[in-house]
Amino acid sequence: MTASSRAVLAATFAPGETAVPSARRFTREVMTAWAASSVLPAAEQLAEELAAQVAEAPFEIVWKHYGNAVRVEFRQRSAPNGDPKGPSVDVEEWGITFAGDSRVHWARLTLPGSADRVAAEWMEENSRGPRWLGFLADASDLLAGTLDPDMVPAIIAQIVVPRLSAWCAVYTSDTGSGPRRLAYLWHADEARIDGLREQLTDLHVPDNTSASLQLADSQVLAVPLIARGRSLGVMCLGRPDRFTDESIQFSEDIARRAALAMDNARLYAQQAAANRALQRSLLPPNEPEVPGLDYGVVYEPAGEANEVGGDFYDLFKAGDESWRFAIGDVCGTGPEAAAVTGLARHTLRLLAREGYGVAAVLGRLNQAILEEGERARFLTLLHGDITPVESGLEVRLVSAGHPEALRLKPSGVVESVTTPQSLLGVFPEVVFEADTIHLDHGDVLLAVTDGVTERRSGGRLLDDDGGLAKLLAECAGLSARAVAERIRRGAADFAPEPSADDLAILVLRAR
């Protein structure tokens, strides 16, 4: 196919039982947005058949609109087992393209009729009818399907063209106020987009009121995008003939839904950015150089982008010849958990520099958490002191309700090296005692949060029957970073579905 696409919609799908129905549902939403109901049954069946062939691994679906045809591409990095099968539905053409270790299985469906005829027939047959409500519902679903502010203008344009207009221009501002910029432009005739873009430079777009305008050979309907009392932009629709009362009503309904979706996406993006900044502030600002120590860290919060994880780690210098490390898990996620995480990190660092031993530090941290009252959260913590010596590393550590720390010898022998003690934030009068261990050259100390030990597959946990120790035993001879990555990969491979818990791994290896 030599013509370039007029519109593209894509989505990525995880493997599993939901992959095929999700692919079919995404296809239905795309065909609805593109007013391609004539090929909807064939497109859904095509998506279902191709998805079934690749559902054992992650894949991407890309739908492309060419005006007189639509094309679907199923992209996958590694080719699935077995010979690919052609679609059973009647397609114009199909094929398979390979690029390195990636494979694209594609097919093309012909669209009958022109964009102008589709728009006219849809308006005539469905004005105020049941399908009008269905169209608005489908549009709402499509708009609600993204939380990316930059994607909303594109979805708006692809919803209204060609059903309501021949072209659509969406204007927005970065802050919701100030100068408008053209965020997205789509025309049913791709060859006219560049010329239309030049014409729009002279168009005065009103801010907060609907208006009918004239632009060259187009009647223009400008509809403001207002949500929660704030103007977010303007949707401009153009068509060669006048806008009927029904098309104006449809446009205003779409604008209300689009503005709300845009506002939600912006709020989500702002919250996600704020929480990423908060998450970064709760992690070590740098990676210190510790004599005789090789270390590796893996940290993966499992929540959505607008959630702050409850796991944390730290490694810092406590004195002239000693360093401290910590790995912990605060109950819950979000700002409340972040407050306890910040309290723990700052308390550990402050008291370490004041000369308190690891056991005394945990006793005082326990009191500090309890003094938070109703804001207090339970905290499991492994805190230790590292002192380089000629034969390796001397380590004093306390495990406060935390998963046990494991030591790996170069011979492959794995043993637990911590004594379980009370978690923090529960009992006011608790006395902690430190365990002292020695790491010979080549010995590895592994500490993890329960996102590793409690990784679930069906009715089994990863650490059932010493699963973590067995995984660590396979890491003999590896560097600290390689051990951390091997444990992370083992946890990920243990269950097919994504983890619902944060994960932190800290590996200390005596050089």
Side-chain angles (χ1 to χ4, degrees):
M1 182 181 298
T2 58
S4 58
S5 58
R6 298 178 177 179
V8 177
L9 284 174
T12 302
F13 299 87
E17 297 179 355
T18 62
V20 173
S22 295
R24 186 183 184 103
R25 182 169 59 253
F26 172 69
T27 297
R28 182 167 60 252
E29 292 172 352
V30 172
M31 294 302 110
T32 300
W34 287 346
S37 58
S38 59
V39 296
L40 176 58
E44 286 186 308
Q45 184 177 346
L46 178 62
E48 183 174 325
E49 291 178 359
L50 298 187
Q53 299 183 42
V54 298
E56 294 183 357
F59 62 93
E60 181 183 25
I61 302 179
V62 180
W63 277 102
K64 298 181 178 181
H65 195 301
Y66 292 91
N68 61 351
V70 291
R71 168 178 164 134
V72 65
E73 297 178 358
F74 276 69
R75 301 176 178 176
Q76 198 164 39
R77 181 165 297 279
S78 56
N81 296 326
D83 295 329
K85 300 178 181 178
S88 64
V89 298
D90 185 17
V91 298
E92 182 177 340
E93 57 181 343
W94 70 277
I96 298 173
T97 304
F98 292 91
D101 61 348
S102 299
R103 192 191 80 167
V104 178
H105 195 169
W106 58 269
R108 178 181 174 184
L109 292 167
T110 301
L111 288 174
S114 67
D116 292 339
R117 184 179 64 79
V118 170
E121 291 180 355
W122 186 84
M123 287 299 303
E124 179 180 356
E125 296 176 3
N126 301 292
S127 175
R128 298 186 182 276
R131 288 186 60 186
W132 170 65
L133 297 177
F135 167 59
L136 292 177
D138 290 339
S140 297
D141 288 343
L142 198 60
L143 287 165
T146 181
L147 290 172
D148 182 351
D150 295 330
M151 280 295 296
V152 177
I155 294 175
I156 294 172
Q158 292 167 15
I159 287 174
V160 299
V161 178
R163 286 186 168 182
L164 298 180
S165 62
W167 58 265
C168 175
V170 181
Y171 293 84
T172 65
S173 65
D174 293 334
T175 61
S177 61
R180 305 293 186 194
R181 63 178 178 86
L182 181 59
Y184 194 83
L185 177 63
W186 187 28
H187 198 297
D189 183 356
E190 183 188 9
R192 300 183 60 181
I193 290 180
D194 291 339
L196 176 61
R197 190 184 303 276
E198 294 180 1
Q199 295 174 5
L200 289 173
T201 59
D202 300 324
L203 181 68
H204 174 69
V205 181
D207 285 336
N208 299 319
T209 59
S210 298
S212 296
L213 310 171
Q214 183 71 36
L215 180 69
D217 59 349
S218 294
Q219 299 291 324
V220 180
L221 175 65
V223 185
L225 300 171
I226 299 175
R228 301 181 176 98
R230 296 188 301 122
S231 177
L232 304 179
V234 179
M235 177 181 71
C236 290
L237 310 181
R239 56 189 296 170
D241 55 346
R242 73 176 186 87
F243 285 87
T244 64
D245 292 341
E246 289 81 4
S247 61
I248 294 174
Q249 178 185 352
F250 293 155
S251 301
E252 291 175 344
D253 281 340
I254 290 294
R256 284 192 291 271
R257 288 164 167 78
L260 186 60
M262 184 179 296
D263 196 41
N264 288 340
R266 288 186 175 186
L267 292 174
Y268 182 90
Q270 292 169 2
Q271 184 65 45
N275 282 316
R276 283 193 297 269
L278 176 59
Q279 190 81 71
R280 287 194 298 269
S281 72
L282 299 176
L283 297 176
N286 51 49
E287 296 185 352
E289 290 290 335
V290 182
L293 176 67
D294 171 30
Y295 65 91
V297 173
V298 170
Y299 176 73
E300 293 182 352
E304 297 287 344
N306 62 347
E307 286 188 340
V308 181
D311 289 12
F312 70 96
Y313 70 92
D314 205 356
L315 179 63
F316 58 94
K317 190 171 185 177
D320 292 338
E321 298 296 334
S322 68
W323 284 259
R324 295 284 177 96
F325 68 90
I327 182 169
D329 184 0
V330 178
C331 175
T333 59
E336 295 84 359
V340 176
T341 299
L343 172 65
R345 285 192 67 251
H346 292 301
T347 300
L348 292 176
R349 285 179 171 242
L350 177 63
L351 295 180
R353 293 191 178 101
E354 291 295 324
Y356 288 89
V358 291
V361 166
L362 263 63
R364 284 158 177 77
L365 176 57
N366 184 57
Q367 291 299 321
I369 295 174
L370 290 171
E371 289 172 3
E372 290 291 299
E374 294 182 356
R375 297 179 299 175
R377 292 293 183 97
F378 301 150
L379 168 64
T380 72
L381 180 67
L382 179 72
H383 181 42
D385 174 86
I386 304 170
T387 303
V389 295
E390 184 176 347
S391 58
L393 299 173
E394 288 291 338
V395 180
R396 291 179 295 276
L397 68 169
V398 179
S399 177
H402 202 76
E404 62 183 6
L406 301 176
R407 177 171 58 189
L408 169 66
K409 305 294 289 185
S411 63
V413 175
V414 176
E415 57 185 343
S416 174
V417 293
T418 52
T419 303
Q421 300 180 57
S422 173
L423 75 166
L424 304 176
V426 180
F427 304 109
E429 297 180 0
V430 103
V431 177
F432 295 97
E433 296 183 1
D435 296 307
T436 301
I437 66 170
H438 181 79
L439 296 181
D440 293 322
H441 299 296
D443 285 359
V444 170
L445 181 67
L446 170 67
V448 302
T449 57
D450 61 10
V452 175
T453 57
E454 296 183 6
R455 183 83 162 101
R456 180 176 295 276
S457 177
R460 287 183 53 81
L461 302 180
L462 183 145
D463 201 32
D464 285 348
D465 301 322
L468 180 60
K470 295 175 183 177
L471 196 59
L472 180 60
E474 301 172 359
C475 301
L478 299 181
S479 68
R481 293 183 184 274
V483 173
E485 176 58 27
R486 177 67 183 88
I487 300 301
R488 184 206 65 79
R489 190 170 67 251
D493 294 344
F494 184 73
E497 65 277 359
S499 176
D501 196 2
D502 303 330
L503 177 149
I505 301 169
L506 177 63
V507 178
L508 309 177
R509 178 178 177 271
R511 293 181 177 176

